[in-house]
Each structure stands twice: as C-alpha cells, then as structure tokens.
C-alpha cells in the first residue's frame, strides 16, 4: 500500500474512526458493566457468570454498532484501493447523494450478525482469562493487556468469514459486483454466495492474519485503558466515602 499509494495511505479514515469510537465505546462499556452486574446477580448471585458476560456483551454491541456503523462505512470506502475520496466529507456527501441515508446502515444487521458472536466470545474469553491470571480481580495492567489481546485474537479468528462479508457489503467491490447477477450485493446470504463465487472457501478467511494482528493490540489497549480509568474512578469514590 505504501509503495503504490504513498506512506500515509494506511492512515486513511483515522479521523472518522476516532470520531465514531468515542461515543460508541462509552455506550459499549457503560451498558456492559451495568448488564453484567445485573444478570450475574440473577444467574449466579455473588459470583461471576460467563452467560451473563456474554449476554451483556451482545446487548452492548447493539448500541455500539448503531453509533459506529456509519463511521465504519466511510472508513472502509476511503481505505479501498484507488479510493476516489480525498476527504471524509466528500465520501459522506457522495454516499448520501448517490445511495441515500440507508447506505450508512446497509451492513448494520450483517455487522450485528458478526459482532454479536465476536463480542460474546470476546467478553467470555476476557473474563475467563481474568479468572485465571487475576483471580482477585485487582487492577493489574499486565493481566488486562494479555487477557484483552488473547480475547481479541480468539474472537477475531472465529468471526473472520463474517467480517469478509460485511466488508463486501460496505465497499460493493467491483470484482465481486461483476460476478453478481443482480449487480448489487445486499444481505448476508447474498454476500456469502458472492464471496464463494469469487474465491471459494478460502476467500472467507482472506485477511485472517491481518484481522488478528489488528484486533490483538486494539482489544489490549481498549481493556487496559478502560480498566485503568475504572480503577481511578473507583478509588476516588472510595476515598470520598472514607472522607465522609
């Protein structure tokens, strides 16, 4: 990419991703913490329930993806090879004008189909590893980084076929369109058929290494930063209560 399109090309879409990630992750972690505690008290009072962790992650994903899906569409279109868009605003205007507002949520149900199992695996793996590496559930940066990275890698590898189909729906890539009878790819079933027509079974796992490499630092950073601020805020609350 750097050789054919310039050294800064891999950074395309960074600004729109950062803009969407703030509110999306705020909804994501707030919903997860609240539901995890509520469901754990119902399913396994006073203990940790993996079913509650998975269910809380699934519901949190609904809110996260609702906020993040439009940013993801714009990011992927800007990152396409020889993308015609120079700025985020150009891409947003072109998609809105040519395809309508629905284009920003065309892959929403598909993204949920991918992200719900991804987050269920992700959260259950993270909480399981925390039980092994950090059984007292204290603030431990090393355990948060390792657990987050491993959880992201496992979930990413397991859901790569769904990510391939989601990306195809978002980008409407020309090679795939030429092999599609309708000339337009809509829906998960259509995307799965088109991917198979273009590259066979192996096409579902194209980019699995890149996806795992991307998710490991991403989830490691997300969990370590989240656990850090959770620790700081909880400590301040305890100090205030002690001061009273």
């Amino acid at each position: 990419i750097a050789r054919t399109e310039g050294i800064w090309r891999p950074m395309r879409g960074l600004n729109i991703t950062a803009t969407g990630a703030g509110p999306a992750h705020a909804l994501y972690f707030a919903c997860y913490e609240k539901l995890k505690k509520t469901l754990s008290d119902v399913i396994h009072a006073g203990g940790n329930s993996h079913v509650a962790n998975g269910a809380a992650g699934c519901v949190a994903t609904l809110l996260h993806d609702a906020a993040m899906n439009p940013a993801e569409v714009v990011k992927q279109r800007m990152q396409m090879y020889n993308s015609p868009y120079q700025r985020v605003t150009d891409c947003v205007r072109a998609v809105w004008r040519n395809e309508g507002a629905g284009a920003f949520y065309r892959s929403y149900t598909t993204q949920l189909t991918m992200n719900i199992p991804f987050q269920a695996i992700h959260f259950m793996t993270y909480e399981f590893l925390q039980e092994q590496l950090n059984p007292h559930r204290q603030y431990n940066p090393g355990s948060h980084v390792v657990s987050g990275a491993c959880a992201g890698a496992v979930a990413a590898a397991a859901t790569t076929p769904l990510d391939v189909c989601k990306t195809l729906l978002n980008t409407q890539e020309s090679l795939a369109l030429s092999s599609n009878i309708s000339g337009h790819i809509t829906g998960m079933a259509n995307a799965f058929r088109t991917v198979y027509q273009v590259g066979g079974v192996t096409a579902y796992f194209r980019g699995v290494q890149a996806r795992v490499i991307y998710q490991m630092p991403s989830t490691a950073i997300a969990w370590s930063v989240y656990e850090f601020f959770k620790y700081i805020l909880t400590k301040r609350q305890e100090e205030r209560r002690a001061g009273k």
Side-chain angles (χ1 to χ4, degrees):
I1 294 172
R3 186 173 61 251
T4 58
E5 299 184 73
I7 193 171
W8 295 110
R9 186 65 173 78
M11 301 300 290
R12 269 284 182 87
L14 176 64
N15 50 353
I16 187 65
T17 301
T19 301
H25 278 76
L27 290 168
Y28 176 68
F29 281 114
C31 178
Y32 173 70
E33 280 292 336
K34 177 64 177 175
L35 279 177
K36 181 180 75 169
K37 185 178 185 306
T38 302
L39 294 174
S40 289
D41 288 343
V42 172
I43 298 171
H44 187 193
N48 180 41
S49 168
H50 293 302
V51 174
N53 298 335
C58 291
V59 177
T61 301
L62 295 173
L63 298 176
H64 173 275
D65 287 2
M68 198 67 194
N69 205 84
E72 188 76 7
V73 171
V74 174
K75 182 201 75 170
Q76 290 181 349
R77 294 201 181 208
M78 293 191 71
Q79 289 178 341
M80 288 170 58
Y81 179 65
N82 283 336
S83 173
Y85 310 113
Q86 295 299 316
R87 294 188 297 273
V88 167
T89 51
D90 295 337
C91 182
V92 171
R93 278 196 296 264
V95 173
W96 185 284
R97 183 175 60 251
N98 299 329
E99 301 175 59
F104 294 106
Y105 282 93
R106 183 181 290 138
S107 67
Y108 181 58
T109 53
T110 304
Q111 183 144 319
L112 288 177
T113 305
M114 180 194 74
N115 281 353
I116 284 176
F118 175 91
Q119 297 300 353
I121 296 169
H122 173 203
F123 280 112
M124 287 190 290
T125 304
Y126 179 81
E127 296 290 353
F128 171 77
L129 289 172
Q130 280 292 283
E131 285 182 347
Q132 308 307 309
L133 301 176
N134 187 17
H136 299 295
R137 305 310 291 264
Q138 297 175 334
Y139 176 62
N140 186 328
S143 76
H144 301 319
V145 170
V146 172
S147 298
C150 292
V154 171
T159 57
T160 295
L162 295 167
D163 185 57
V164 170
C165 293
K166 182 203 76 170
T167 301
L168 179 59
L169 284 170
N170 276 345
T171 60
Q172 300 290 307
E173 206 272 326
S174 57
L175 176 62
L177 288 176
S178 65
S179 67
N180 189 279
I181 297 173
S182 65
H184 192 69
I185 301 165
T186 57
M188 175 68 86
N190 193 0
F192 261 99
R193 284 194 299 270
T194 304
V195 170
Y196 184 78
Q197 289 169 0
V198 171
V201 175
T202 56
Y204 293 118
F205 290 92
R206 287 270 178 87
V208 63
Q209 298 96 331
R211 179 164 160 76
V212 168
I213 291 169
Y214 160 74
Q215 286 293 349
M216 286 184 72
S218 175
T219 49
I221 292 168
W223 277 111
S224 58
V225 172
Y226 170 69
E227 294 284 6
F228 170 75
F229 280 103
K230 181 180 174 182
Y231 167 72
I232 293 296
L233 294 171
T234 303
K235 188 177 179 181
R236 285 183 179 177
Q237 285 182 338
E238 290 175 351
E239 289 174 350
R240 286 173 185 169
R241 287 175 190 152
K244 291 180 180 179

